[in-house]
Amino acid sequence: MAVDELQAIIQRCQILEEADFKGEDFNLFQVAGQKCLEDGYAAQLLEVIQNEKNKVIIKNMGWNLISPLVRCIFMYKQEDDKREHCLRILEQLAQLCNPKELFLGLLEQIEQTSGEQVCQTVMLLLQPLQTVLLKLQNKKAYSVGLSLAMIMNQLTPLPVPYTKQQIQEDKLGLCQCCNAVVDFAKPFVNEVVKNMEKSSEYNDTELKEELIKFCMKSLKYPLLTAQLEQLEGIEEHPFRHFATEIIDILWNLGELIPLMFVRHKGKSPAWEDQELADIERKNSADSLACLSYLVFVQHFGVECLPVVFSPSYLLLCNMTHIEVLLKRTEESVLSKGLDLLESCLLRMEDNSLLHHYLEFRDFINVPQDLVKIMTLCPMEHMRKKSLNILQLFIDKFDTEGKYTLFRCLLKTSNHAGVEGYIIKNIKDQIHLALTKEYDNIWFTGHHLISLLDLVLSLPEGAETDLLQNSDRIMASLNLLRYLIIKDCESDNQTGVWTTLGKIEQNFLKPLRVGLNMSKAHYEAEIKNKKENRKEAHSSNTVCSVTVSGEKMPPMTTGMQLQVLHSALFTFDLIESVLARVEELIEVKTKAVMDEN
């Protein structure tokens, strides 16, 4: 019987001194103890462990029971008495065993768990692990750091619940586990805080650094990808609670403000491997970006911030974090970047952001990232939101800033729709310049002429793909039509009349030639398709066609003809505006000549 075997080993070891225990004794104790647990004699094993006479034996050998004990706890049902006995054994081992040995045994058990049992195992062992760590005297900071790192490494592969239903179900127990880990860390946070209060020159920073590392890891996972908006029907959102706790820890350790406003704080690990150094830098950037989102968008810990910072300084501090978030493709992370940028911009008044800020790399990169989201993101609501935020970004700059930003986006966007949108913005700024009393040197005179050289041009002259560039061309023609109507040749505030010859040579004439060529090509293509359809005696023949340099998916001849007619309609639209512009130029020029 398993209990008899265990009693025999106990009696044999009771007469030995602690120093005389051999490896064989440890093995026999482990095998007998494991058999007791597996055969259902947990109550008898508990009695043996609680017996004062066996204190020395349990101190040295008890940690060997951790692995079979955890297996049995998960094997029994919640209401089973045997499970309760196993839990009490675990509690006793935490009190009686050698802290160093038990610490290693508990960590090994956490490291070996995987899949659906990760959170269950971690939550089961957190309390005994905390008890053991509080007893440790030597290398305490290292042991706490190792424990937190091991736990977070085991949790990280688990998917983060995102929808309301997933959060409520908490299928793997991650929501509950994350908050349990914070509770596990609190005694060590309190210890650091007490030591800091005792002495302003508190030098033992090892434990503090380990706790900061834990907070940084928590910001990257799970908080960076977690849904953190208030959800109706969930009284206490588990990830919002977790975020609050992490912010509180950083505040209590005196690190919240330095992390947010002092760049490159602290020493980065000196990695010999450059790849490892890059990973560390990226992880830190993700964590700090999430921290800014929590404070400035969700307002966790915002009451701790000094109220002396200007909105433009807050935007400057956050632009690096915004760029980090906008580079990601996951909706949960990308949306945080857009929300953070929007939050910072809404704090500012229109036209208040000085053009000097565009000298910072981030202020050029972020609008370019917005353009990429607008044009490449598969989620329509994200594309629309990016467009709205880009306009908000433009509105905040002073006149010179807008001018510089427009030039930059026209050169870098490589997207006709975006270019058309920027040209419409240029037209709005010119309108303001012409209708307001004060001088605006950036959207009139020689500065505007320089900008018009970019706007009123065709990338490849007459051979430009007019269909692909139709949005830009229409916006350019509308701008030119506005300038000719609004700015009299006698005033010539915009300078358009001075440079009209150049505009006709570089834009209007090549556009006319390109239109004639494109219309002839598409009309010939339509004629060919109709003839081919007659020959085939069927309109359902499937074939391919190339439009705007791209091969279309297989379509019937009828569908292809629809596409070709749609292209012709676009050319007719461009031609009608072009004809109106040419007519206005001719009328205005003739009127001036008549006056002269």
Short mmCIF file of all heavy atoms in Angstrom, two decimals, residues 179 218-219 222-224 226-231 235-252 255-257 260-261 287-306 318 336 340 343 347:
data_model
loop_
_atom_site.label_atom_id
_atom_site.label_comp_id
_atom_site.label_asym_id
_atom_site.label_seq_id
_atom_site.Cartn_x
_atom_site.Cartn_y
_atom_site.Cartn_z
N ASN A 179 -4.76 39.82 -13.85
CA ASN A 179 -5.02 40.57 -12.62
C ASN A 179 -4.48 39.85 -11.39
O ASN A 179 -4.06 40.48 -10.42
CB ASN A 179 -6.51 40.85 -12.49
CG ASN A 179 -6.97 41.95 -13.45
OD1 ASN A 179 -6.54 43.09 -13.37
ND2 ASN A 179 -7.82 41.60 -14.40
N SER A 218 3.99 43.97 -19.61
CA SER A 218 2.52 43.97 -19.52
C SER A 218 1.90 44.98 -20.49
O SER A 218 0.82 44.75 -21.04
CB SER A 218 2.08 44.29 -18.09
OG SER A 218 2.57 43.31 -17.20
N LEU A 219 2.60 46.10 -20.70
CA LEU A 219 2.11 47.11 -21.64
C LEU A 219 2.12 46.56 -23.06
O LEU A 219 1.21 46.84 -23.85
CB LEU A 219 2.96 48.38 -21.55
CG LEU A 219 2.79 49.21 -20.27
CD1 LEU A 219 3.91 50.22 -20.15
CD2 LEU A 219 1.43 49.91 -20.25
N PRO A 222 -0.67 41.99 -22.27
CA PRO A 222 -1.71 41.95 -23.29
C PRO A 222 -2.26 43.32 -23.71
O PRO A 222 -3.09 43.40 -24.60
CB PRO A 222 -2.81 41.17 -22.59
CG PRO A 222 -2.70 41.61 -21.16
CD PRO A 222 -1.23 41.81 -20.90
N LEU A 223 -1.79 44.42 -23.06
CA LEU A 223 -2.50 45.70 -23.19
C LEU A 223 -2.41 46.31 -24.59
O LEU A 223 -3.34 46.99 -25.02
CB LEU A 223 -1.98 46.69 -22.14
CG LEU A 223 -2.32 46.32 -20.69
CD1 LEU A 223 -1.69 47.30 -19.72
CD2 LEU A 223 -3.84 46.27 -20.49
N LEU A 224 -1.30 46.09 -25.30
CA LEU A 224 -1.15 46.71 -26.62
C LEU A 224 -2.22 46.23 -27.60
O LEU A 224 -2.73 47.00 -28.41
CB LEU A 224 0.24 46.42 -27.19
CG LEU A 224 0.58 47.08 -28.53
CD1 LEU A 224 0.58 48.60 -28.41
CD2 LEU A 224 1.92 46.60 -29.05
N ALA A 226 -5.11 44.62 -26.56
CA ALA A 226 -6.39 44.43 -25.86
C ALA A 226 -7.41 45.50 -26.25
O ALA A 226 -7.04 46.63 -26.58
CB ALA A 226 -6.17 44.43 -24.36
N GLN A 227 -8.68 45.14 -26.17
CA GLN A 227 -9.79 46.09 -26.32
C GLN A 227 -9.96 46.81 -24.98
O GLN A 227 -10.26 46.19 -23.97
CB GLN A 227 -11.05 45.32 -26.71
CG GLN A 227 -12.35 46.06 -26.50
CD GLN A 227 -12.49 47.27 -27.41
OE1 GLN A 227 -12.11 48.37 -27.02
NE2 GLN A 227 -13.01 47.07 -28.60
N LEU A 228 -9.75 48.13 -24.97
CA LEU A 228 -9.74 48.86 -23.70
C LEU A 228 -10.88 49.88 -23.57
O LEU A 228 -10.94 50.61 -22.59
CB LEU A 228 -8.39 49.56 -23.51
CG LEU A 228 -7.22 48.60 -23.28
CD1 LEU A 228 -5.89 49.31 -23.48
CD2 LEU A 228 -7.28 47.98 -21.90
N GLU A 229 -11.77 49.90 -24.56
CA GLU A 229 -12.92 50.80 -24.46
C GLU A 229 -13.92 50.24 -23.45
O GLU A 229 -14.01 49.03 -23.24
CB GLU A 229 -13.60 50.94 -25.82
CG GLU A 229 -12.72 51.54 -26.92
CD GLU A 229 -12.34 52.98 -26.66
OE1 GLU A 229 -13.08 53.66 -25.91
OE2 GLU A 229 -11.32 53.43 -27.19
N GLN A 230 -14.68 51.14 -22.81
CA GLN A 230 -15.73 50.69 -21.90
C GLN A 230 -16.76 49.89 -22.69
O GLN A 230 -17.21 50.32 -23.74
CB GLN A 230 -16.41 51.90 -21.25
CG GLN A 230 -15.60 52.54 -20.13
CD GLN A 230 -15.69 51.75 -18.82
OE1 GLN A 230 -16.13 50.61 -18.81
NE2 GLN A 230 -15.29 52.35 -17.74
N LEU A 231 -17.12 48.71 -22.18
CA LEU A 231 -18.09 47.86 -22.86
C LEU A 231 -19.36 47.75 -22.03
O LEU A 231 -19.30 47.42 -20.84
CB LEU A 231 -17.49 46.47 -23.11
CG LEU A 231 -16.26 46.42 -24.04
CD1 LEU A 231 -15.67 45.03 -24.06
CD2 LEU A 231 -16.65 46.83 -25.45
N GLU A 235 -19.31 45.20 -15.95
CA GLU A 235 -19.17 46.16 -14.84
C GLU A 235 -17.72 46.56 -14.65
O GLU A 235 -17.38 47.73 -14.61
CB GLU A 235 -19.73 45.55 -13.55
CG GLU A 235 -21.26 45.59 -13.50
CD GLU A 235 -21.80 45.15 -12.15
OE1 GLU A 235 -21.05 45.23 -11.16
OE2 GLU A 235 -22.96 44.72 -12.11
N GLU A 236 -16.86 45.55 -14.49
CA GLU A 236 -15.44 45.86 -14.33
C GLU A 236 -14.67 45.17 -15.45
O GLU A 236 -14.46 43.97 -15.44
CB GLU A 236 -14.91 45.40 -12.96
CG GLU A 236 -13.49 45.87 -12.73
CD GLU A 236 -13.02 45.64 -11.30
OE1 GLU A 236 -13.36 44.60 -10.72
OE2 GLU A 236 -12.29 46.50 -10.78
N HIS A 237 -14.28 45.97 -16.43
CA HIS A 237 -13.53 45.47 -17.59
C HIS A 237 -12.18 44.95 -17.09
O HIS A 237 -11.38 45.72 -16.55
CB HIS A 237 -13.35 46.62 -18.58
CG HIS A 237 -12.83 46.20 -19.92
ND1 HIS A 237 -11.73 45.40 -20.08
CD2 HIS A 237 -13.27 46.48 -21.18
CE1 HIS A 237 -11.51 45.22 -21.36
NE2 HIS A 237 -12.44 45.86 -22.05
N PRO A 238 -11.88 43.65 -17.27
CA PRO A 238 -10.65 43.10 -16.68
C PRO A 238 -9.37 43.75 -17.18
O PRO A 238 -8.43 43.97 -16.41
CB PRO A 238 -10.70 41.62 -17.09
CG PRO A 238 -11.68 41.53 -18.21
CD PRO A 238 -12.66 42.63 -17.98
N PHE A 239 -9.32 44.10 -18.48
CA PHE A 239 -8.10 44.70 -19.00
C PHE A 239 -7.98 46.18 -18.59
O PHE A 239 -6.86 46.69 -18.43
CB PHE A 239 -8.03 44.55 -20.52
CG PHE A 239 -7.75 43.14 -20.97
CD1 PHE A 239 -8.57 42.51 -21.89
CD2 PHE A 239 -6.68 42.43 -20.44
CE1 PHE A 239 -8.32 41.21 -22.29
CE2 PHE A 239 -6.43 41.13 -20.83
CZ PHE A 239 -7.25 40.50 -21.76
N ARG A 240 -9.09 46.87 -18.43
CA ARG A 240 -9.04 48.24 -17.91
C ARG A 240 -8.55 48.23 -16.46
O ARG A 240 -7.77 49.09 -16.05
CB ARG A 240 -10.43 48.90 -18.01
CG ARG A 240 -10.83 49.27 -19.43
CD ARG A 240 -12.19 49.94 -19.48
NE ARG A 240 -12.16 51.25 -18.84
CZ ARG A 240 -11.79 52.38 -19.44
NH1 ARG A 240 -11.41 52.36 -20.70
NH2 ARG A 240 -11.81 53.52 -18.79
N HIS A 241 -9.01 47.25 -15.69
CA HIS A 241 -8.54 47.12 -14.31
C HIS A 241 -7.05 46.81 -14.28
O HIS A 241 -6.29 47.40 -13.49
CB HIS A 241 -9.33 46.00 -13.61
CG HIS A 241 -8.92 45.79 -12.18
ND1 HIS A 241 -8.01 44.83 -11.80
CD2 HIS A 241 -9.28 46.45 -11.04
CE1 HIS A 241 -7.83 44.89 -10.48
NE2 HIS A 241 -8.59 45.86 -10.01
N PHE A 242 -6.62 45.91 -15.16
CA PHE A 242 -5.20 45.55 -15.24
C PHE A 242 -4.36 46.77 -15.62
O PHE A 242 -3.29 47.02 -15.04
CB PHE A 242 -5.04 44.43 -16.28
CG PHE A 242 -3.63 43.93 -16.43
CD1 PHE A 242 -2.97 43.32 -15.38
CD2 PHE A 242 -2.95 44.07 -17.64
CE1 PHE A 242 -1.67 42.85 -15.53
CE2 PHE A 242 -1.65 43.60 -17.79
CZ PHE A 242 -1.01 42.99 -16.74
N ALA A 243 -4.85 47.55 -16.60
CA ALA A 243 -4.13 48.75 -17.03
C ALA A 243 -4.00 49.75 -15.88
O ALA A 243 -2.93 50.35 -15.67
CB ALA A 243 -4.85 49.40 -18.21
N THR A 244 -5.07 49.92 -15.13
CA THR A 244 -5.05 50.83 -13.97
C THR A 244 -3.98 50.41 -12.97
O THR A 244 -3.23 51.24 -12.44
CB THR A 244 -6.43 50.86 -13.29
OG1 THR A 244 -7.42 51.23 -14.25
CG2 THR A 244 -6.46 51.85 -12.14
N GLU A 245 -3.91 49.11 -12.71
CA GLU A 245 -2.94 48.58 -11.75
C GLU A 245 -1.51 48.80 -12.22
O GLU A 245 -0.62 49.16 -11.43
CB GLU A 245 -3.19 47.08 -11.52
CG GLU A 245 -4.53 46.75 -10.88
CD GLU A 245 -4.55 47.05 -9.39
OE1 GLU A 245 -3.56 47.56 -8.86
OE2 GLU A 245 -5.58 46.76 -8.75
N ILE A 246 -1.26 48.59 -13.51
CA ILE A 246 0.10 48.77 -14.06
C ILE A 246 0.51 50.24 -13.96
O ILE A 246 1.65 50.57 -13.57
CB ILE A 246 0.16 48.29 -15.53
CG1 ILE A 246 -0.04 46.77 -15.62
CG2 ILE A 246 1.48 48.68 -16.18
CD1 ILE A 246 1.00 45.94 -14.91
N ILE A 247 -0.41 51.15 -14.31
CA ILE A 247 -0.12 52.59 -14.20
C ILE A 247 0.16 52.95 -12.74
O ILE A 247 1.08 53.74 -12.44
CB ILE A 247 -1.30 53.43 -14.75
CG1 ILE A 247 -1.51 53.17 -16.25
CG2 ILE A 247 -1.09 54.91 -14.48
CD1 ILE A 247 -0.46 53.71 -17.15
N ASP A 248 -0.61 52.40 -11.82
CA ASP A 248 -0.41 52.67 -10.38
C ASP A 248 0.96 52.22 -9.92
O ASP A 248 1.63 52.91 -9.14
CB ASP A 248 -1.49 51.97 -9.55
CG ASP A 248 -2.83 52.70 -9.63
OD1 ASP A 248 -2.85 53.84 -10.12
OD2 ASP A 248 -3.86 52.11 -9.21
N ILE A 249 1.39 51.05 -10.39
CA ILE A 249 2.72 50.54 -10.01
C ILE A 249 3.79 51.51 -10.49
O ILE A 249 4.70 51.88 -9.74
CB ILE A 249 2.96 49.13 -10.57
CG1 ILE A 249 2.05 48.10 -9.86
CG2 ILE A 249 4.43 48.71 -10.40
CD1 ILE A 249 2.13 46.70 -10.46
N LEU A 250 3.70 51.92 -11.75
CA LEU A 250 4.71 52.84 -12.30
C LEU A 250 4.71 54.17 -11.55
O LEU A 250 5.78 54.75 -11.29
CB LEU A 250 4.44 53.08 -13.79
CG LEU A 250 4.73 51.89 -14.72
CD1 LEU A 250 4.25 52.18 -16.14
CD2 LEU A 250 6.23 51.56 -14.73
N TRP A 251 3.52 54.65 -11.18
CA TRP A 251 3.44 55.89 -10.42
C TRP A 251 4.06 55.73 -9.03
O TRP A 251 4.85 56.58 -8.59
CB TRP A 251 1.99 56.34 -10.31
CG TRP A 251 1.80 57.54 -9.41
CD1 TRP A 251 1.25 57.57 -8.18
CD2 TRP A 251 2.22 58.88 -9.68
NE1 TRP A 251 1.27 58.84 -7.65
CE2 TRP A 251 1.87 59.67 -8.56
CE3 TRP A 251 2.85 59.48 -10.77
CZ2 TRP A 251 2.14 61.03 -8.51
CZ3 TRP A 251 3.12 60.85 -10.70
CH2 TRP A 251 2.76 61.60 -9.58
N ASN A 252 3.73 54.64 -8.35
CA ASN A 252 4.26 54.40 -7.00
C ASN A 252 5.78 54.22 -7.00
O ASN A 252 6.45 54.59 -6.04
CB ASN A 252 3.61 53.16 -6.38
CG ASN A 252 2.15 53.40 -6.04
OD1 ASN A 252 1.75 54.53 -5.75
ND2 ASN A 252 1.33 52.36 -6.11
N GLU A 255 8.15 56.20 -11.65
CA GLU A 255 8.66 56.04 -13.01
C GLU A 255 7.68 56.47 -14.10
O GLU A 255 8.04 56.48 -15.27
CB GLU A 255 9.04 54.56 -13.25
CG GLU A 255 10.23 54.10 -12.44
CD GLU A 255 11.49 54.85 -12.81
OE1 GLU A 255 11.76 55.05 -14.02
OE2 GLU A 255 12.21 55.27 -11.89
N LEU A 256 6.45 56.81 -13.74
CA LEU A 256 5.46 57.12 -14.77
C LEU A 256 5.86 58.35 -15.59
O LEU A 256 5.90 58.31 -16.83
CB LEU A 256 4.08 57.34 -14.12
CG LEU A 256 2.94 57.64 -15.08
CD1 LEU A 256 2.73 56.48 -16.04
CD2 LEU A 256 1.65 57.95 -14.32
N ILE A 257 6.17 59.45 -14.91
CA ILE A 257 6.53 60.69 -15.62
C ILE A 257 7.84 60.54 -16.38
O ILE A 257 7.92 60.92 -17.57
CB ILE A 257 6.60 61.88 -14.63
CG1 ILE A 257 5.27 62.06 -13.89
CG2 ILE A 257 6.98 63.17 -15.36
CD1 ILE A 257 4.08 62.31 -14.79
N MET A 260 7.37 58.68 -19.60
CA MET A 260 6.56 59.36 -20.61
C MET A 260 7.26 60.57 -21.23
O MET A 260 7.04 60.88 -22.40
CB MET A 260 5.24 59.81 -19.99
CG MET A 260 4.35 58.66 -19.58
SD MET A 260 2.71 59.19 -19.14
CE MET A 260 2.11 59.74 -20.72
N PHE A 261 8.11 61.23 -20.45
CA PHE A 261 8.64 62.50 -20.93
C PHE A 261 10.16 62.58 -21.04
O PHE A 261 10.67 63.50 -21.65
CB PHE A 261 8.15 63.64 -20.04
CG PHE A 261 6.67 63.84 -20.11
CD1 PHE A 261 5.84 63.44 -19.09
CD2 PHE A 261 6.09 64.40 -21.24
CE1 PHE A 261 4.47 63.61 -19.16
CE2 PHE A 261 4.73 64.57 -21.33
CZ PHE A 261 3.91 64.17 -20.29
N SER A 287 5.90 49.20 -25.88
CA SER A 287 5.41 49.38 -24.50
C SER A 287 5.15 50.86 -24.20
O SER A 287 4.12 51.22 -23.63
CB SER A 287 6.41 48.81 -23.50
OG SER A 287 6.61 47.43 -23.71
N LEU A 288 6.09 51.72 -24.58
CA LEU A 288 5.95 53.15 -24.31
C LEU A 288 4.80 53.75 -25.12
O LEU A 288 4.10 54.65 -24.64
CB LEU A 288 7.27 53.88 -24.62
CG LEU A 288 8.43 53.54 -23.68
CD1 LEU A 288 9.72 54.20 -24.17
CD2 LEU A 288 8.13 53.99 -22.25
N ALA A 289 4.61 53.25 -26.34
CA ALA A 289 3.49 53.72 -27.16
C ALA A 289 2.16 53.36 -26.50
O ALA A 289 1.23 54.18 -26.45
CB ALA A 289 3.58 53.11 -28.57
N CYS A 290 2.09 52.15 -25.97
CA CYS A 290 0.86 51.72 -25.29
C CYS A 290 0.64 52.55 -24.02
O CYS A 290 -0.51 52.93 -23.72
CB CYS A 290 0.96 50.23 -24.93
SG CYS A 290 -0.53 49.57 -24.16
N LEU A 291 1.71 52.86 -23.31
CA LEU A 291 1.61 53.69 -22.10
C LEU A 291 1.01 55.06 -22.44
O LEU A 291 0.11 55.54 -21.73
CB LEU A 291 3.00 53.85 -21.46
CG LEU A 291 3.08 54.72 -20.21
CD1 LEU A 291 2.22 54.15 -19.09
CD2 LEU A 291 4.53 54.87 -19.75
N SER A 292 1.49 55.67 -23.51
CA SER A 292 0.95 56.98 -23.91
C SER A 292 -0.53 56.88 -24.27
O SER A 292 -1.32 57.77 -23.93
CB SER A 292 1.73 57.52 -25.11
OG SER A 292 2.92 58.14 -24.67
N TYR A 293 -0.89 55.81 -24.96
CA TYR A 293 -2.30 55.61 -25.30
C TYR A 293 -3.15 55.51 -24.04
O TYR A 293 -4.22 56.13 -23.95
CB TYR A 293 -2.45 54.34 -26.15
CG TYR A 293 -3.89 53.90 -26.32
CD1 TYR A 293 -4.70 54.50 -27.28
CD2 TYR A 293 -4.44 52.92 -25.51
CE1 TYR A 293 -6.03 54.13 -27.43
CE2 TYR A 293 -5.77 52.54 -25.64
CZ TYR A 293 -6.56 53.14 -26.61
OH TYR A 293 -7.87 52.78 -26.74
N LEU A 294 -2.69 54.74 -23.06
CA LEU A 294 -3.46 54.56 -21.82
C LEU A 294 -3.68 55.89 -21.10
O LEU A 294 -4.77 56.16 -20.59
CB LEU A 294 -2.72 53.59 -20.88
CG LEU A 294 -2.62 52.13 -21.34
CD1 LEU A 294 -1.79 51.33 -20.34
CD2 LEU A 294 -4.00 51.51 -21.50
N VAL A 295 -2.65 56.72 -21.09
CA VAL A 295 -2.73 57.99 -20.35
C VAL A 295 -3.54 59.04 -21.12
O VAL A 295 -4.45 59.66 -20.57
CB VAL A 295 -1.32 58.51 -20.01
CG1 VAL A 295 -1.40 59.90 -19.38
CG2 VAL A 295 -0.60 57.54 -19.06
N PHE A 296 -3.22 59.23 -22.40
CA PHE A 296 -3.79 60.36 -23.14
C PHE A 296 -5.13 60.06 -23.80
O PHE A 296 -5.90 60.99 -24.08
CB PHE A 296 -2.80 60.86 -24.19
CG PHE A 296 -1.61 61.55 -23.59
CD1 PHE A 296 -0.37 60.93 -23.58
CD2 PHE A 296 -1.73 62.79 -22.99
CE1 PHE A 296 0.73 61.55 -23.01
CE2 PHE A 296 -0.65 63.42 -22.42
CZ PHE A 296 0.59 62.80 -22.43
N VAL A 297 -5.41 58.79 -24.06
CA VAL A 297 -6.70 58.44 -24.69
C VAL A 297 -7.67 57.87 -23.66
O VAL A 297 -8.80 58.33 -23.54
CB VAL A 297 -6.49 57.44 -25.85
CG1 VAL A 297 -7.84 57.07 -26.47
CG2 VAL A 297 -5.57 58.04 -26.91
N GLN A 298 -7.20 56.88 -22.88
CA GLN A 298 -8.07 56.27 -21.88
C GLN A 298 -8.02 57.00 -20.53
O GLN A 298 -8.80 56.69 -19.63
CB GLN A 298 -7.68 54.79 -21.70
CG GLN A 298 -7.90 53.94 -22.94
CD GLN A 298 -9.34 53.89 -23.38
OE1 GLN A 298 -10.26 54.09 -22.58
NE2 GLN A 298 -9.58 53.64 -24.66
N HIS A 299 -7.08 57.92 -20.38
CA HIS A 299 -6.97 58.79 -19.20
C HIS A 299 -6.66 58.04 -17.91
O HIS A 299 -7.00 58.50 -16.82
CB HIS A 299 -8.25 59.63 -19.02
CG HIS A 299 -8.58 60.44 -20.24
ND1 HIS A 299 -9.80 60.38 -20.87
CD2 HIS A 299 -7.83 61.30 -20.95
CE1 HIS A 299 -9.80 61.17 -21.92
NE2 HIS A 299 -8.62 61.74 -21.99
N PHE A 300 -5.97 56.90 -18.02
CA PHE A 300 -5.48 56.21 -16.82
C PHE A 300 -4.29 57.01 -16.28
O PHE A 300 -3.31 57.22 -16.98
CB PHE A 300 -5.02 54.79 -17.14
CG PHE A 300 -6.12 53.87 -17.59
CD1 PHE A 300 -6.05 53.21 -18.81
CD2 PHE A 300 -7.23 53.66 -16.79
CE1 PHE A 300 -7.06 52.36 -19.23
CE2 PHE A 300 -8.26 52.82 -17.20
CZ PHE A 300 -8.17 52.17 -18.42
N GLY A 301 -4.37 57.45 -15.04
CA GLY A 301 -3.26 58.17 -14.42
C GLY A 301 -3.05 59.57 -14.94
O GLY A 301 -2.05 60.21 -14.62
N VAL A 302 -4.01 60.09 -15.73
CA VAL A 302 -3.82 61.42 -16.30
C VAL A 302 -3.80 62.50 -15.22
O VAL A 302 -3.18 63.56 -15.38
CB VAL A 302 -4.93 61.71 -17.35
CG1 VAL A 302 -6.27 61.97 -16.68
CG2 VAL A 302 -4.52 62.86 -18.26
N GLU A 303 -4.43 62.21 -14.08
CA GLU A 303 -4.44 63.18 -12.98
C GLU A 303 -3.05 63.36 -12.37
O GLU A 303 -2.79 64.33 -11.65
CB GLU A 303 -5.45 62.75 -11.90
CG GLU A 303 -5.08 61.51 -11.11
CD GLU A 303 -5.37 60.20 -11.85
OE1 GLU A 303 -5.95 60.25 -12.95
OE2 GLU A 303 -4.99 59.14 -11.33
N CYS A 304 -2.14 62.42 -12.66
CA CYS A 304 -0.77 62.51 -12.13
C CYS A 304 0.11 63.43 -12.96
O CYS A 304 1.20 63.82 -12.52
CB CYS A 304 -0.13 61.12 -12.09
SG CYS A 304 -1.05 59.91 -11.13
N LEU A 305 -0.33 63.77 -14.18
CA LEU A 305 0.53 64.55 -15.07
C LEU A 305 0.55 66.01 -14.66
O LEU A 305 -0.47 66.57 -14.26
CB LEU A 305 0.02 64.46 -16.51
CG LEU A 305 0.04 63.09 -17.18
CD1 LEU A 305 -0.36 63.24 -18.65
CD2 LEU A 305 1.40 62.44 -17.09
N PRO A 306 1.71 66.66 -14.78
CA PRO A 306 1.76 68.11 -14.56
C PRO A 306 0.91 68.82 -15.62
O PRO A 306 0.80 68.36 -16.75
CB PRO A 306 3.26 68.44 -14.78
CG PRO A 306 3.98 67.13 -14.74
CD PRO A 306 3.01 66.08 -15.14
N ASN A 318 4.51 62.67 -28.19
CA ASN A 318 3.77 61.46 -28.58
C ASN A 318 3.97 61.04 -30.02
O ASN A 318 3.57 59.93 -30.39
CB ASN A 318 2.27 61.68 -28.33
CG ASN A 318 1.90 61.46 -26.87
OD1 ASN A 318 2.24 60.46 -26.27
ND2 ASN A 318 1.20 62.43 -26.29
N LYS A 336 -5.35 52.24 -31.96
CA LYS A 336 -4.76 52.98 -30.82
C LYS A 336 -3.90 54.13 -31.31
O LYS A 336 -3.90 55.23 -30.73
CB LYS A 336 -3.93 52.03 -29.94
CG LYS A 336 -4.76 51.06 -29.10
CD LYS A 336 -3.88 50.18 -28.25
CE LYS A 336 -4.68 49.30 -27.30
NZ LYS A 336 -5.52 48.30 -27.97
N LEU A 340 -4.70 57.99 -30.52
CA LEU A 340 -3.71 58.81 -29.80
C LEU A 340 -3.41 60.09 -30.57
O LEU A 340 -3.35 61.18 -29.98
CB LEU A 340 -2.43 57.99 -29.57
CG LEU A 340 -1.29 58.69 -28.84
CD1 LEU A 340 -1.74 59.23 -27.48
CD2 LEU A 340 -0.09 57.75 -28.66
N SER A 343 -6.46 62.40 -30.36
CA SER A 343 -6.56 62.99 -29.02
C SER A 343 -5.60 64.17 -28.85
O SER A 343 -5.98 65.21 -28.31
CB SER A 343 -6.28 61.91 -27.97
OG SER A 343 -6.22 62.47 -26.68
N ARG A 347 -6.58 68.67 -28.82
CA ARG A 347 -6.21 69.59 -27.74
C ARG A 347 -5.75 70.94 -28.29
O ARG A 347 -5.64 71.90 -27.54
CB ARG A 347 -5.06 69.00 -26.91
CG ARG A 347 -5.41 67.71 -26.18
CD ARG A 347 -4.13 67.03 -25.67
NE ARG A 347 -4.43 65.71 -25.13
CZ ARG A 347 -4.67 65.44 -23.86
NH1 ARG A 347 -4.67 66.42 -22.99
NH2 ARG A 347 -4.93 64.22 -23.46
#
